Amino acid sequence: MIQDLKSNARALSIETAHGKIDTPVFMPVGTLGTVKGVMQEQLKESIDAQIILGNTYHLYLRPSPEIIQQAGGLHQFMSWNRPILTDSGGYQVFSLAGRRKIEEQGVEFKSHIDGSLHLFTPEKVAIIQRLIGADIMMAFDECPPYPVSYDQAKLSMERTHRWLERGLKSFHDSSPFHGYNQVFIPIAQGSVFSDLREKSAEYVCRTDSPINAIGGLSVGEPKDLMYQMTQIVCSILPKDKPRYLMGVGTPENILECIALGVDMFDCVMPTRNARNGMLFTMDGTINLKNRKWKSDFSALDHHKYSPVGTKYSKAYLRHLFSVNELLGKQIASIHNLAFYVWLTKEARNRIIDGSFASWKNKIVKSLVNRL
């Protein structure tokens, strides 16, 4: 581990069955076995993503764990030979609040596809992820909304801890289906309450897991509260093990949380915003749907981190969005993912050469600009 001298930023390496991951790292979200609009070859060759995500809840519904198992696991199914992490479905406890019922046994979901009922338990989720074949498997947790009362956050956190014990037992009592090692990762919860975050982080530490995660943030709380809770948990989690902050966030959020000691990030923002015409650049964000870009023939981005930034003009991409051409969404998605991946790789380089803190403080001022 290499530690930045002026912050808590670190550079680590994680060994998995499908390759090494150098941190800090951004993980593109491939919910259904695909990062929307981007081919696997582009993810590897143009963007150089080290690892991507899949989602247990969505892959369970379609195509099903059985189909993925028959294909030889998700890596084989989607032709991706680098690491994969699967979210457990805990976020869907939050995002599908109107379609689920939480009980001690688990969560009953009403499918958003056909309304059928499905029970997710900590044990079942571990086995589903075994079948999917992810290198990194997340524990099933309860992600509470914001705002939430202290008492409800405490109940939610305690249930997450009980589910963690059950999920760990299911993981240890089972074996990989695809012939390679998998790891099972706990998640610290506690909403925006300092004492709950401390208790949950201490509980997670006792599992002695190879990676530890921070969940339940970036769900609507002010960013200062997100940073405060992240700092509390990072101060307790082991210094020699990677920390994964789930679902975060903007480029600014990522750099600030790297400075707090976070190593791994994921977020749908680069691809979701791309499909709506928003580009992230080192100089700030660009809304390509704005009329001001109609006759702007300058490059999307003059920096070299983007494989498409210097090839296409703002006017051309605005035209593609104005006629609802799919290529526009694809180009924007490739650009944004390349930017996010570059940002975390550059952060690693800066940590190693000792310039991270000054670089971060300077670049954050540009990242928040609206161009």
Side-chain angles (χ1 to χ4, degrees):
M1 179 181 78
I2 299 174
Q3 176 84 41
D4 178 57
L5 296 178
K6 296 182 180 179
S7 72
N8 289 315
R10 317 101 59 76
L12 305 171
S13 291
I14 305 167
E15 295 290 342
T16 78
H18 287 88
K20 185 178 74 168
I21 304 163
D22 290 327
T23 74
V25 64
F26 178 78
M27 305 179 283
V29 176
T31 301
L32 282 159
T34 171
V35 177
K36 286 186 178 180
V38 183
M39 294 175 64
Q40 280 74 296
E41 289 78 8
Q42 293 169 319
L43 283 170
K44 286 188 277 192
E45 297 165 12
S46 301
I47 297 167
D48 195 25
Q50 299 182 72
I51 175 174
I52 61 173
L53 268 70
N55 182 275
T56 298
Y57 167 82
H58 289 284
L59 291 169
Y60 166 81
L61 292 178
R62 293 182 300 190
S64 81
E66 292 74 22
I67 292 295
I68 295 173
Q69 183 191 14
Q70 291 172 32
L74 186 57
H75 295 84
Q76 287 284 104
F77 187 52
M78 65 177 294
S79 189
W80 174 258
N81 61 5
R82 294 184 180 182
I84 294 175
L85 179 150
T86 40
D87 186 11
S88 64
Y91 181 75
Q92 279 64 48
V93 177
F94 161 76
S95 64
L96 299 178
R99 307 184 69 90
R100 56 90 174 127
K101 180 180 179 183
I102 303 174
E103 297 178 340
E104 185 62 28
Q105 183 184 5
V107 179
E108 185 179 69
F109 290 99
K110 180 181 288 187
S111 167
H112 65 286
I113 302 166
D114 60 11
S116 57
L117 296 177
H118 303 272
L119 179 65
F120 270 38
T121 67
E123 296 86 354
K124 181 176 180 179
V125 166
I127 298 304
I128 293 170
Q129 292 182 90
R130 285 287 203 194
L131 291 166
I132 290 171
D135 299 276
I136 302 172
M137 302 165 44
M138 303 307 300
F140 191 48
D141 63 328
E142 181 181 343
C143 178
Y146 176 85
V148 67
S149 70
Y150 179 90
D151 288 344
Q152 185 56 49
K154 184 172 184 289
L155 288 172
S156 173
M157 179 198 72
E158 291 170 344
R159 182 181 292 120
T160 288
H161 293 170
R162 293 191 296 272
W163 284 359
L164 173 57
E165 296 300 326
R166 289 166 54 190
L168 275 168
K169 185 176 187 306
S170 179
F171 173 75
H172 290 305
D173 288 348
S174 60
S175 300
F177 286 96
H178 304 291
Y180 52 81
N181 187 51
Q182 298 170 278
V183 295
F184 187 87
I185 308 306
I187 303 170
Q189 288 286 355
S191 188
V192 294
F193 302 101
S194 299
D195 63 322
L196 297 184
R197 284 289 174 182
E198 291 173 2
K199 289 178 182 177
S200 193
E202 290 165 357
Y203 194 93
V204 160
C205 286
R206 292 197 289 272
T207 67
D208 194 26
S209 298
I211 303 170
N212 297 294
I214 306 168
L217 294 175
S218 194
V219 292
E221 78 282 356
K223 66 179 181 180
D224 289 345
L225 266 180
M226 177 179 71
Y227 297 151
Q228 182 185 344
M229 296 303 110
T230 299
Q231 183 174 31
I232 288 169
V233 178
C234 285
S235 71
I236 296 169
L237 294 180
K239 296 186 184 301
D240 60 339
K241 295 180 178 180
R243 303 164 184 149
Y244 166 30
L245 181 56
M246 306 179 73
V248 175
T250 66
E252 175 196 10
N253 293 158
I254 288 174
L255 289 185
E256 295 294 356
C257 289
I258 288 174
L260 296 174
V262 176
D263 309 290
M264 305 169 68
F265 301 86
D266 79 282
C267 190
V268 298
M269 188 172 287
T271 46
R272 179 176 291 170
N273 286 25
R275 295 193 299 275
N276 289 302
M278 179 177 283
L279 292 186
F280 293 99
T281 77
M282 199 161 69
D283 302 314
T285 57
I286 300 171
N287 184 349
L288 287 164
K289 294 184 178 180
N290 286 348
R291 188 174 181 84
K292 65 185 291 187
W293 309 116
K294 186 174 183 179
S295 57
D296 188 326
F297 303 106
S298 64
L300 292 175
D301 196 342
H302 60 277
H303 296 288
K304 294 182 180 179
Y305 50 69
S306 172
V308 294
T310 59
K311 293 180 180 179
Y312 304 101
S313 70
K314 299 179 183 73
Y316 177 62
L317 210 59
R318 184 189 183 278
H319 160 69
L320 294 182
F321 275 98
S322 70
V323 296
N324 200 28
E325 169 54 54
L326 291 176
L327 180 61
K329 298 179 181 181
Q330 184 182 35
I331 292 172
S333 295
I334 292 170
H335 169 84
N336 281 354
L337 287 172
F339 174 68
Y340 268 65
V341 169
W342 170 83
L343 189 69
T344 49
K345 287 185 177 181
E346 184 65 12
R348 177 183 174 86
N349 293 336
R350 298 286 182 162
I351 292 166
I352 292 171
D353 72 17
S355 64
F356 172 78
S358 57
W359 171 79
K360 186 269 292 183
N361 292 338
K362 180 180 179 181
I363 195 174
V364 161
K365 295 176 183 177
S366 299
L367 293 175
V368 298
N369 289 336
R370 297 277 179 165
L371 301 178

